Amino acid sequence: MIKGILRFAIAIIFILSGFVKAVDLVGFSFKMEEYFAPSVFNMPFLEKYALLFSVIVVVLELFLGFMLLLKLKLKFTLSSLIALCVFFGFLTFYSAFYNVVTDCGCFGDAIKFTPWQSFIKDIVLLFGLIILFILYRNEFKNKEHKTNKASIIAFSVFSILMILVMLRGITYEPMIDFRDYKVGTNLVAEKGKINKFPSEYKTFYSLKNSKTGEILTVNQDDYINQTQYWEEGSPWKIEEGKNESKLVKQGYKSEITKFKLEDTNGNEVTETYLKAPRAVLVFSYHPKEVSKGLQDKVEEKVKTEKGIWAGISIDPKMFSTLDNLMMDGTAIKTIARSNPFVLILENGVIVEKIPAKEYIK
């Protein structure tokens, strides 16, 4: 009974984790690129294979999770999942310890985990899998080759459905949008919440006693209020370069805080487009990968639209007939996965988000 419940729970976790990434494989590949970046594992030559690695990870999670649910090839399935958890545990520990990738993307954009939360989750799953391996060890020889037809059919149907979901996740925008930029989002209202409920940070000073050598970490309020730290003749001295700004109160969290449009001179013009009755914006996070023919067709069609238009990218000279605006490439990737894509706003509300190739049809 207990091992059945544990097996079911772990299987569902892997299936759900794989599914939310499958619907947005391109988004998950962006996360993989972060791990390959020079600041993390310094393997930029693997960035072009990020999508392939993403597919492999999602396939393993989905298929192994479903095999565990059906008790298919239990020894192989449990051994593989244990190895997968060890691998994930290493990545999440590295991210947490060195604070290099702040969101592992374990559950895509559906559920956000801090690096340490992700690591703890992986350790809990690993222990759960080891317990299952021990509990089911006596069944390995008896049932390893006795797979019923119903299980095979169920696994085949599941595999086909998940492959279709993954293909759609690569070709189009996610069929289930977990992002902050989903259609219907009011960017003006979201920015209002961000401003109304800001995160609070405090500076923590590293102080060293010049007489005893003792080191203390004191927050800015205590430092100001307790005169022994700064009065004349005090042995406490601030250690240069060791002060830290730490989050003490989490404000309203939203990726929309990064929605910032600037002209080519560095002047912010976000409000102009958020307050417009209708704004048609063309975004590109990889300008060099956009064909000239596609870009010309998109610009031509955009200029037939009502409202104001602009092209937003990381290249100040990308667009020929639209006003060129600038935005951080990572921020553009959080809005949509296509390159380029068209975003239509009406009074700051996202009403459409269309891949460029679909837009010009």
Side-chain angles (χ1 to χ4, degrees):
M1 179 67 176
I2 294 177
K3 66 181 182 181
I5 294 173
L6 181 61
R7 176 175 56 80
F8 179 83
I10 292 177
I12 292 300
I13 289 172
F14 275 101
I15 292 170
L16 288 177
S17 175
F19 179 77
V20 294
K21 290 196 281 283
V23 299
D24 187 12
L25 268 171
V26 176
F28 183 51
S29 73
F30 294 156
K31 188 60 59 179
M32 295 295 286
E33 287 178 5
E34 289 186 42
Y35 281 104
F36 298 141
S39 59
V40 186
F41 290 118
N42 194 23
M43 295 187 289
F45 59 91
L46 289 179
E47 289 183 8
K48 60 183 177 181
Y49 302 112
L51 184 58
L52 174 61
F53 283 116
S54 301
V55 171
I56 292 171
V57 169
V58 171
V59 165
L60 288 174
E61 284 191 314
L62 285 172
F63 290 9
L64 290 173
F66 201 69
M67 286 173 70
L68 180 61
L69 189 66
L70 298 177
K71 295 176 67 175
L72 290 174
K73 302 290 183 182
L74 263 181
K75 185 176 182 180
F76 167 80
T77 300
L78 287 169
S79 299
S80 300
L81 286 172
I82 287 171
L84 197 61
C85 265
V86 170
F87 173 69
F88 285 154
F90 166 73
L91 287 183
T92 53
F93 175 78
Y94 190 93
S95 298
F97 188 80
Y98 292 102
N99 194 32
V100 286
V101 180
T102 56
D103 175 20
C104 71
C106 302
F107 284 89
D109 288 299
I111 304 174
K112 299 287 188 179
F113 284 105
T114 66
W116 282 117
Q117 287 172 338
S118 298
F119 175 67
I120 292 170
K121 172 198 58 95
D122 290 332
I123 295 302
V124 170
L125 283 175
L126 179 60
F127 276 109
L129 287 165
I130 291 172
I131 291 171
L132 280 180
F133 193 94
I134 295 170
L135 292 175
Y136 278 105
R137 68 187 184 282
N138 293 328
E139 297 185 32
F140 292 158
K141 291 183 180 180
N142 298 329
K143 298 189 177 182
E144 189 75 6
H145 303 291
K146 296 179 181 179
T147 305
N148 61 61
K149 291 183 179 180
S151 295
I152 295 296
I153 293 172
F155 181 75
S156 299
V157 172
F158 175 82
S159 299
I160 292 170
L161 289 175
M162 290 303 101
I163 289 171
L164 292 175
V165 169
M166 286 187 283
L167 286 174
R168 191 190 188 287
I170 294 172
T171 309
Y172 303 99
E173 286 294 304
M175 62 181 181
I176 304 174
D177 197 344
F178 296 108
R179 291 164 294 179
D180 293 336
Y181 290 96
K182 61 178 66 69
V183 172
T185 300
N186 188 322
L187 300 185
V188 176
E190 288 295 296
K191 280 186 169 288
K193 292 177 185 177
I194 293 167
N195 293 331
K196 187 175 181 180
F197 304 103
S199 295
E200 294 181 15
Y201 293 84
K202 282 188 178 180
T203 299
F204 285 76
Y205 298 109
S206 178
L207 306 177
K208 186 174 183 178
N209 191 302
S210 58
K211 294 180 179 179
T212 65
E214 182 184 358
I215 296 176
L216 289 178
T217 300
V218 179
N219 71 55
Q220 61 189 52
D221 296 333
D222 290 340
Y223 180 79
I224 293 171
N225 295 329
Q226 298 180 33
T227 58
Q228 71 267 28
Y229 294 131
W230 50 265
E231 64 186 351
E232 186 177 351
S234 172
W236 294 103
K237 305 298 179 185
I238 294 176
E239 292 190 288
E240 294 297 327
K242 293 188 177 182
N243 301 328
E244 287 186 281
S245 180
K246 296 182 180 179
L247 178 69
V248 294
K249 182 181 178 182
Q250 181 64 63
Y252 183 75
K253 291 184 70 174
S254 174
E255 288 293 330
I256 289 163
T257 188
K258 300 173 185 176
F259 191 90
K260 182 180 179 182
L261 304 178
E262 295 181 345
D263 63 22
T264 52
N265 294 317
N267 302 307
E268 186 171 354
V269 293
T270 311
E271 292 299 308
T272 300
Y273 294 89
L274 291 185
K275 291 181 178 179
R278 183 176 170 86
V280 183
L281 309 175
V282 185
F283 286 83
S284 174
Y285 49 80
H286 280 318
K288 293 181 180 178
E289 295 181 5
V290 180
S291 70
K292 187 68 167 61
L294 175 60
Q295 181 177 326
D296 289 344
K297 289 179 182 178
V298 172
E299 291 191 43
E300 183 180 349
K301 183 169 181 180
V302 164
K303 293 180 69 176
T304 66
E305 298 263 15
K306 294 180 180 179
I308 58 176
W309 329 298
I312 299 98
S313 71
I314 58 174
D315 181 353
K317 296 180 180 179
M318 176 179 178
F319 298 95
S320 304
T321 61
L322 301 176
D323 289 338
N324 278 279
L325 301 180
M326 306 295 291
M327 191 174 186
D328 177 71
T330 302
I332 294 175
K333 289 178 180 179
T334 63
I335 302 173
R337 307 311 189 195
S338 308
N339 179 51
F341 66 89
V342 177
L343 183 77
I344 300 178
L345 301 174
E346 291 183 357
N347 297 307
V349 177
I350 298 175
V351 295
E352 262 191 292
K353 198 163 49 170
I354 320 160
K357 292 179 181 179
E358 294 293 313
Y359 178 73
I360 61 175
K361 285 184 178 179

